[in-house]
Amino acid sequence: MNEKIALVTGANKGIGRETARLLLAEGVTVLIGSRDAARGQAAAEELGASALTIDVTDQESVEAAAKEVDQRYGRLDILVNNAGINPPGQARPSETTAEVVRTAYETNVFGVVRVTNAFLPLLRRSTSPRIVNVSSELGSLAISSDPGWYADHPMLLAYSTSKSAVNSLTVMYAHELAADGIKVNAAAPGLCATDLNEYRGSRTAADGAAVIARVALAADDVPSGQFLAEAGIVPW
């Protein structure tokens, strides 16, 4: 039981891939969760990990993935809900359609619920279970309440509010799962240069992954229900 088993969703590229790399370097057995089986397998082979096909927007795919992990390992120690999208078509709030918002939520929010619920039985078999929900400072209501923030970020209604929802999910799961010893925290990797933002970020994917990996591998006395970034706690 010393070797940890981790699943990172959306791990065939970007921050998810770098998170997998860092966890592997710490001796963790990592499952590269990917919607595209071929891309997931290619990433897994390059990193020395295992591939797991999982589409977080598809309940049957998620359930099949959980069954496969159960059969292969019998438990899960770390779940990193990393899969996320920043959909095209975002505009000012009054100009953003419900369809665009729904697209973001299907992956960024509903996907977290699907995957978390499906893998909870496996996490409950771990001696030190962790759930890390990859969020963003853009989801912080405290930060976004500043008028200056809106002036710089008026066109990201779908993405930003989806991450606010992820933060709320984190708090609620943390409360419920405390009795099971499952630590649930949100991690903000910062503005990293990935295809999610057309590589406009000032940080590398590895920089962002370091935040996530740190939360995933924190000591057993780490608090649950926190929103963490490189500099420390982020206000909700």
Side-chain angles (χ1 to χ4, degrees):
M1 290 287 286
N2 291 330
E3 185 174 328
K4 295 181 181 295
I5 311 296
L7 166 61
V8 183
T9 63
N12 63 285
K13 61 180 180 178
I15 294 172
R17 184 190 184 101
E18 292 303 315
T19 300
R21 190 191 303 276
L22 290 174
L23 293 177
L24 285 163
E26 295 297 325
V28 177
T29 295
V30 179
L31 295 163
I32 301 290
S34 176
R35 180 174 56 184
D36 186 299
R39 292 178 180 176
Q41 185 61 42
E45 289 177 0
E46 179 182 331
L47 294 173
S50 296
L52 181 72
T53 302
I54 180 170
D55 180 351
V56 303
T57 68
D58 185 298
Q59 185 67 34
E60 289 186 3
S61 173
V62 170
E63 291 176 358
K67 183 177 181 180
E68 183 175 344
V69 174
D70 188 10
Q71 292 172 342
R72 288 164 64 177
Y73 302 102
R75 74 177 199 280
L76 186 68
D77 301 295
I78 299 169
L79 170 61
V80 179
N81 283 310
N82 168 75
I85 62 170
N86 185 25
Q90 294 183 84
R92 296 183 184 279
S94 61
E95 299 166 349
T96 301
T97 67
E99 287 69 27
V100 170
V101 176
R102 184 177 295 111
T103 296
Y105 276 56
E106 192 62 53
T107 296
N108 298 358
V109 182
F110 306 149
V112 172
V113 174
R114 285 190 194 95
V115 175
T116 300
N117 289 351
F119 282 87
L120 272 178
L122 297 178
L123 286 161
R124 287 189 170 108
R125 297 176 195 164
S126 171
T127 58
S128 184
R130 300 279 187 276
I131 298 173
V132 183
N133 295 327
V134 178
S135 185
S136 167
E137 286 94 339
L138 294 175
S140 166
L141 295 181
I143 293 174
S144 63
S145 296
D146 184 335
W149 177 93
Y150 177 74
D152 293 329
H153 306 88
M155 315 294 271
L156 291 171
L157 174 72
Y159 182 78
S160 297
T161 62
S162 74
K163 292 304 183 180
S164 297
V166 167
N167 291 347
S168 182
L169 289 175
T170 299
V171 171
M172 297 188 76
Y173 275 107
H175 282 307
E176 179 190 353
L177 300 178
D180 296 319
I182 301 176
K183 302 295 179 69
V184 187
N185 289 298
L191 185 58
C192 301
T194 68
D195 61 358
L196 194 75
N197 56 33
E198 299 178 341
Y199 298 94
R200 291 195 294 264
S202 58
R203 291 162 56 79
T204 68
D207 291 335
V211 178
I212 300 166
R214 188 185 76 226
V215 177
L217 296 172
D220 288 342
D221 59 356
V222 65
S224 191
Q226 291 193 316
F227 186 13
L228 302 162
E230 183 175 56
I233 296 174
V234 182
W236 294 111

